[in-house]
Structures are given as C-alpha cells and as structure tokens.
Amino acid sequence: EAQVTQNPRYLITVTGKKLTVTCSQNMNHEYMSWYRQDPGLGLRQIYYSMNVEVTDKGDVPEGYKVSRKEKRNFPLILESPSPNQTSLYFCASSFGGGGNQPQHFGDGTRLSIL
Amino acid sequence: DQQVKQNSPSLSVQEGRISILNCDYTNSMFDYFLWYKKYPAEGPTFLISISSIKDKNEDGRFTVFLNKSAKHLSLHIVPSQPGDSAVYFCAASFMDSNYQLIWGAGTKLIIKP
C-alpha cells in the first residue's frame, strides 16, 4: 500500500530535549516536505527536499533541521524544542514539486513541548 | 500576510444539496490551485486541482471554478453526502518558488442528514 509513515504520532516532551520525528514514503517520490498546522493558520511549510541531499527552507524553518540521506526518508529534527513548537506536524511527498503533482500526506504527529 | 484565504471557518449543508466552499487569493502569479480534504486524525488527501489557464475542472461530484479577475476559486460538491463532512483546504502554488504550496486556513464542512 502506497503510504507516508510518520513516527511518533503523539509526543509530550520538555523544553530543550532533542527529538526527531521520522518520515518514510514507499512511493519512490523525489519531493518531500514538512509542514506544521496551527489553528487559524492552515499548513505552513518548514522544510522541503527536491531529492537526496537537496533540502531548502520553507516559510517557518527556525528551530528545525532536516536531512535527506536516502530517497525514502526525511526526518525532522528539533535540536532544542521550545513551547512555541507545540503543533501538529505533517510530512508529505510527491513525484515532483509542481502544483500539478498532488502531495501524499502522513497522518500527522502531534507534539507538545512543555 | 495571508496570500490564500478561506474566510468561512465552517459551513453546514443539508445532505443532498450543493456545498460551495470558497477561497480567495492575492498573488496573480499562482499557476495551480488545489483542494485537499482532511478527516480528523488523518493527513490531508488530494481532492481536485485546476491550472490557472482554465476556469473549470470537474471530477465526479466535485467541480472547481476559477475566476482569475476576481482572484477567487470555489469548490462545488453536488450532491453532498455525509462522508463529505471534513475540513477542506485550498492551496496554491507558483513555479518561481519551487512550487511551494501556500495554504488557506481551511473550512469545516458539516453535512446534516
């Protein structure tokens, strides 16, 4: 089954404790992206990757890191999480970055930073 | 400054009637517009899209209309079914930003039986 898998689905942690949210896709997609969803703001892009070893900042990259060492994986790293990073996070992938290439989303990761 | 706006946070429609969800945008350089549907505890799923060179695209019960002069698009669902109850997001992209998607805040559609 074609899917984007995120882990964990839920996490409550404390300020400053490094965490990684994993994302894996099995569709051989080149393009992967991380978003955060906050009430009243829709989805905002954090980072995206056009292919292996190619990453770039989205609209809200501060406080986040990513890596793309393999085509299927695109982890999101919070080196020193802060309460303003409490949010719902989505990973997405598609064959290309074009608007005519619909993105496939994972089911989300709800992070609470205390 | 929100470039894509969905001004109705929620919409309630009777089953069997037409649902019309609206989206306004400010950037005339957008070249594609997409609608996504989201159920609770799931990620958004792609519904339908339209190129900026067209004014209508239809897929079964779903039709998207684009009015470039008004910078407005709408999603029509006919007839509305209970399974259509979800949050609908409008998104737009343009080539000059590596096709980054700009999202609206979403509209929660409730279909009443």
Side-chain angles (χ1 to χ4, degrees):
Chain A
E1 180 189 351
Q3 59 186 3
V4 177
T5 304
Q6 296 178 226
N7 280 297
R9 292 291 312 277
Y10 305 91
L11 179 63
I12 301 173
T13 188
V14 296
T15 299
K17 186 176 181 181
K18 179 180 178 179
L19 67 92
T20 299
V21 184
T22 63
C23 174
S24 180
Q25 50 93 5
N26 62 1
M27 294 167 280
N28 202 35
H29 286 165
E30 287 88 15
Y31 185 93
M32 297 187 75
S33 182
W34 276 103
Y35 296 90
R36 60 179 287 174
Q37 183 189 2
D38 300 292
L41 293 178
L43 277 72
R44 293 180 294 167
Q45 191 177 52
I46 303 169
Y47 269 94
Y48 65 95
S49 170
M50 299 292 283
N51 214 323
V52 176
E53 302 291 1
V54 180
T55 63
D56 209 346
K57 297 176 181 178
D59 286 328
V60 288
E62 294 78 20
Y64 304 95
K65 284 175 57 177
V66 293
S67 69
R68 187 92 181 274
K69 293 183 169 55
E70 307 164 282
K71 199 171 189 179
R72 63 183 293 128
N73 295 323
F74 191 43
L76 179 69
I77 303 155
L78 285 71
E79 293 269 4
S80 183
S82 62
N84 64 11
Q85 293 177 298
T86 292
S87 188
L88 178 58
Y89 291 85
F90 290 102
C91 179
S93 72
S94 62
F95 277 113
N100 61 342
Q101 298 288 341
Q103 295 183 25
H104 299 253
F105 283 81
D107 284 338
T109 295
R110 188 167 290 282
L111 286 184
S112 294
I113 316 295
L114 305 177
Chain B
D1 177 34
Q2 283 190 293
Q3 297 186 67
V4 177
K5 292 182 182 179
Q6 294 177 256
N7 292 317
S8 299
S10 66
L11 175 68
S12 187
V13 174
Q14 202 72 36
E15 181 180 357
R17 306 294 290 267
I18 182 171
S19 294
I20 300 176
L21 296 103
N22 294 304
C23 179
D24 295 300
Y25 62 94
T26 57
N27 193 329
S28 57
M29 299 300 291
F30 285 136
D31 61 351
Y32 261 95
F33 302 89
L34 304 92
W35 285 93
Y36 283 79
K37 174 180 179 179
K38 184 184 179 303
Y39 293 119
E42 294 182 10
T45 55
F46 170 73
L47 195 56
I48 191 170
S49 65
I50 187 167
S51 164
S52 61
I53 63 172
K54 297 189 176 182
D55 53 21
K56 177 183 174 181
N57 188 27
E58 195 171 350
D59 184 1
R61 295 186 299 115
F62 303 92
T63 303
V64 57
F65 295 92
L66 176 61
N67 182 334
K68 286 187 286 293
S69 61
K71 294 191 177 71
H72 176 84
L73 67 156
S74 60
L75 174 69
H76 293 213
I77 307 173
V78 184
S80 300
Q81 299 175 352
D84 296 330
S85 293
V87 176
Y88 289 78
F89 290 98
C90 168
S93 75
F94 55 105
M95 195 188 325
D96 287 348
S97 71
N98 281 322
Y99 295 105
Q100 179 185 16
L101 281 182
I102 310 297
W103 295 74
T107 296
K108 184 175 183 178
L109 176 65
I110 301 163
I111 305 301
K112 299 179 293 185

